[in-house]
Amino acid sequence: AQTVTQSQPEMSVQEAETVTLSCTYDTSENNYYLFWYKQPPSRQMILVIRQEAYKQQNATENRFSVNFQKAAKSFSLKISDSQLGDTAMYFCAFRVNYGQNFVFGPGTRLSVLP
Amino acid sequence: KAGVTQTPRYLIKTRGQQVTLSCSPISGHRSVSWYQQTPGQGLQFLFEYFSETQRNKGNFPGRFSGRQFSNSRSEMNVSTLELGDSALYLCASSPSGGLEETQYFGPGTRLLVL
């Protein structure tokens, strides 16, 4: 079975500090894409960052970066210089086949404290 | 471009009734996926439509059905509602449902079954 685990149900971080959200996944496929989505309170889900499994270089998007460890099946998200607007549920997800659905983790609720 | 829109945003129904939810994808997107989001089960995939055909289906009972029209708009229907169907129903669109494509989510329809 293909699964995603996010071991931290809730986290908090002080504004301007750095936080890392963990994600591990399980698949026997070799080609897949990994995603982090953000769902702010009462707002719609948006893509934060994505990573192609065949690329060794970790993806970065401004203050967001990932640490992708393919052998360990780990895909953590680092948020630098945290801002109040980063407060949200963060979902890790992957997709392995064309036309296949996304498999989402249970989410990590991140609170950025002033 | 306008984003993914979902109507209605909120619904209250009683057990045994049926409900139809609508999703309009981003213009040019032909793949529409539906997800059920609950606090206990997280995000669970319902089904995906592409070019008016159901291409992929999650593990939900037959009470959950959907369809897609020639303009890519999609509807999902839940018959004989149960209390456990109370959830946020999200739809997401992408150009063709390709492995590398980002899914763009709508704001969701919050369904409460009494």
Side-chain angles (χ1 to χ4, degrees):
Chain A
Q2 294 165 346
T3 58
V4 177
T5 302
Q6 293 178 250
S7 59
Q8 306 145 316
E10 292 190 31
M11 294 188 73
S12 62
V13 63
Q14 292 294 135
E15 200 175 1
E17 293 189 346
T18 296
V19 63
T20 299
L21 309 184
S22 302
C23 172
T24 58
Y25 57 95
D26 187 24
T27 180
S28 57
E29 299 289 334
N30 200 43
N31 185 30
Y32 49 90
Y33 280 71
L34 294 153
F35 303 82
W36 277 98
Y37 277 89
K38 164 187 175 181
Q39 188 177 38
S42 303
R43 294 181 61 185
Q44 61 200 80
M45 198 142 62
I46 58 174
L47 177 72
V48 175
I49 197 167
R50 71 177 191 179
Q51 173 81 39
E52 298 155 76
Y54 64 86
K55 283 190 177 179
Q56 293 189 341
Q57 186 174 5
N58 289 323
T60 62
E61 285 288 343
N62 301 313
R63 298 182 295 107
F64 299 90
S65 62
V66 298
N67 183 4
F68 174 46
Q69 303 289 329
K70 190 172 184 178
K73 294 181 181 174
S74 170
F75 183 59
S76 61
L77 174 69
K78 185 171 83 170
I79 305 173
S80 304
D81 186 26
S82 297
Q83 300 175 359
L84 296 178
D86 295 333
T87 293
M89 279 288 285
Y90 286 81
F91 294 95
C92 177
F94 75 97
R95 198 174 193 190
V96 297
N97 285 317
Y98 185 90
Q100 279 285 357
N101 54 289
F102 278 56
V103 178
F104 282 90
T108 295
R109 186 177 302 279
L110 176 68
S111 297
V112 179
L113 308 174
Chain B
K1 269 187 181 177
V4 178
T5 58
Q6 292 187 246
T7 56
R9 293 294 309 278
Y10 302 93
L11 266 178
I12 300 176
K13 293 285 187 178
T14 56
R15 277 182 301 173
Q17 286 187 311
Q18 75 160 17
V19 67
T20 299
L21 312 181
S22 180
C23 171
S24 293
I26 291 172
S27 179
H29 286 192
R30 295 164 63 196
S31 169
V32 174
S33 297
W34 287 90
Y35 295 85
Q36 181 194 64
Q37 186 177 21
T38 60
Q41 299 296 320
L43 275 155
Q44 293 187 284
F45 171 76
L46 282 155
F47 28 64
E48 184 211 4
Y49 284 87
F50 178 76
S51 291
E52 302 178 64
T53 300
Q54 187 181 88
R55 189 161 61 177
N56 197 12
K57 189 178 189 304
N59 189 27
F60 277 81
R63 300 185 297 106
F64 292 82
S65 62
R67 59 178 175 168
Q68 187 180 33
F69 302 94
S70 58
N71 62 358
S72 295
R73 189 177 71 85
S74 178
E75 288 182 347
M76 68 163 279
N77 183 276
V78 188
S79 62
T80 320
L81 284 166
E82 300 178 359
L83 296 179
D85 297 333
S86 294
L88 180 66
Y89 290 88
L90 297 170
C91 87
S93 76
S94 67
S96 61
L99 179 61
E100 74 288 359
E101 291 176 2
T102 297
Q103 287 200 334
Y104 295 86
F105 285 82
T109 294
R110 189 165 296 281
L111 172 65
L112 177 61
V113 182
L114 301 175

